[in-house]
Amino acid sequence: MSALFYIGNGMAFEEKSAWVTIVISIGAYTIYVVTVLGRAGDGPLADVAYTGTLLWTIGGAIVTAIAAHIAMAVAGGHGADRTDERDREINQVSERIGQSLVIIGAIAALVMAIAELRHFWIANVVYLAFVLSSVLSSIAKIAAYRKGGFQTW
């Protein structure tokens, strides 16, 4: 939560956005995991009703992210969310970095499907891959802003 207080006026909109994305992604996934684990009790984890919770936490994260980005744009004033060439380059490279985890998750889900594992495990691997992708992409974006872009790496 302290990361939210660190988001200051000196940051680019895209860097602020990355911090917000990290907090929302981790927060939503934590709510999902705690809820599913809480429902498991003494039974098998794969028997837990997870679909509704999965969809609600993903949907809630999307709505929260949209609202947070609108609030940041409004609070920043006219033109606060403008991007330049550097912002676009950082965004493009950081998204590519994050996509690596989506690919790993997709391969893992494919292997799990071939092995005929239960849908619970496949869905959870895919969800985790999306969360990790979002977090890794945001970390790469923040690092690039702090280091002055990817050319300085």
Side-chain angles (χ1 to χ4, degrees), residues 44-69:
L45 191 56
D47 289 342
V48 172
Y50 70 94
T51 308
T53 305
L54 181 113
L55 295 175
W56 277 105
T57 55
I58 291 171
I62 291 168
V63 170
T64 303
I66 291 169
H69 287 91

Side-chain angles (χ1 to χ4, degrees), residues 135-147:
V135 170
L136 179 62
S137 175
S138 295
I139 289 170
K141 189 177 291 184
I142 292 166
Y145 276 105
R146 297 296 166 101
K147 299 281 186 187

Side-chain angles (χ1 to χ4, degrees), residues 29 32-33 36 50 54 119-129:
Y29 189 72
Y32 171 74
V33 169
V36 169
Y50 70 94
L54 181 113
H119 293 128
F120 174 86
W121 299 113
I122 297 169
N124 278 282
V125 162
V126 171
Y127 186 19
L128 178 60

Side-chain angles (χ1 to χ4, degrees), residues 57-138:
T57 55
I58 291 171
I62 291 168
V63 170
T64 303
I66 291 169
H69 287 91
I70 290 170
M72 285 187 332
V74 169
H78 181 69
D81 59 346
R82 280 196 196 140
T83 58
D84 59 15
E85 185 61 34
R86 177 177 171 252
D87 294 321
R88 287 187 286 278
E89 179 184 335
I90 288 173
N91 188 55
Q92 185 178 36
V93 174
S94 65
E95 289 299 316
R96 284 186 190 149
I97 290 169
Q99 291 301 318
S100 64
L101 285 173
V102 171
I103 293 167
I104 292 168
I107 292 169
L110 180 63
V111 169
M112 294 169 83
I114 291 169
E116 297 183 3
L117 295 181
R118 296 185 63 180
H119 293 128
F120 174 86
W121 299 113
I122 297 169
N124 278 282
V125 162
V126 171
Y127 186 19
L128 178 60
F130 282 130
V131 170
L132 292 176
S133 171
S134 175
V135 170
L136 179 62
S137 175
S138 295

